[in-house]
Amino acid sequence: MIFFVLSGFLITSMLLKEYRQTGNIALGNFYRRRAYRIFPNFYCCWILTTVVYCLGGDFYWKHAALSFFYLMDYGRGLAPASVQPWMHMWVSWSLAVEEKFYLLWPLLLLVLLKRPNLIRMLVSIILGQWVYRAVMTLHFHVRESYLYNTFDMRADALLVGCLLAIMVENGRVRLLCCELLRRQWVSVLAPLALVLMWWFQPQATRRSLYCCGRFSH
């Protein structure tokens, strides 16, 4: 989760800097930079992984297609738990989430920047995401693997990072944050946030993290 928050913060800070300097966001240049940064390394790794799977006789083209087109987040979210560890480049699920964010967020940000109540609208989107997750969990009983892996369940973490970047750009909000940081009780928020993040993780994830902690000791 922290990784996605940081990613949303950094990408939004970069886009806001360009918008402040030029009055626009060059979408073509943004997508080109992302492609040059990610595609060469990713597809070299994809080719090597495919060769290894083919030599081992365990190649499944559907799994390879999921990773190739950055859909492994939904591949892992919908596949049986017994299959997930053996899927083609299954670790690329987080990159699949990131790629969807790179594709959609600059377009949405351009729309939001033309609105006078940017922060309020983004907060509303994040709250709507939380309601959506609650409905999917409590009413539709979606699996933990879907809650953990998929873009639509991780978008709020990315958007929280985007919101923080936008708030930092706002002068009044920056002054308010500086004033809050002078309060001693604010130091409690960081450990409280970590506890809440742990509590709201899917149960299977909490168990695996706990076991890893015990094993490391």
Side-chain angles (χ1 to χ4, degrees), residues 3-4 7 11 34-46 66-74 76 88-104 148-151 154 158:
F3 168 77
F4 291 127
S7 177
I11 292 297
R34 292 293 95 192
Y36 288 159
R37 185 180 183 86
I38 296 171
F39 286 179
N41 294 331
F42 175 81
Y43 286 114
C44 283
C45 185
W46 186 91
L66 287 174
S67 60
F68 185 90
F69 292 108
Y70 296 96
L71 295 173
M72 187 51 67
D73 55 333
Y74 287 99
R76 286 191 60 181
H88 187 283
M89 287 189 67
W90 63 270
V91 295
S92 65
W93 71 270
S94 59
L95 184 57
V97 172
E98 288 278 317
E99 286 297 300
K100 295 176 183 65
F101 169 70
Y102 296 152
L103 180 65
L104 298 175
Y148 184 83
N149 290 288
T150 58
F151 170 73
R154 291 289 190 166
L158 290 158

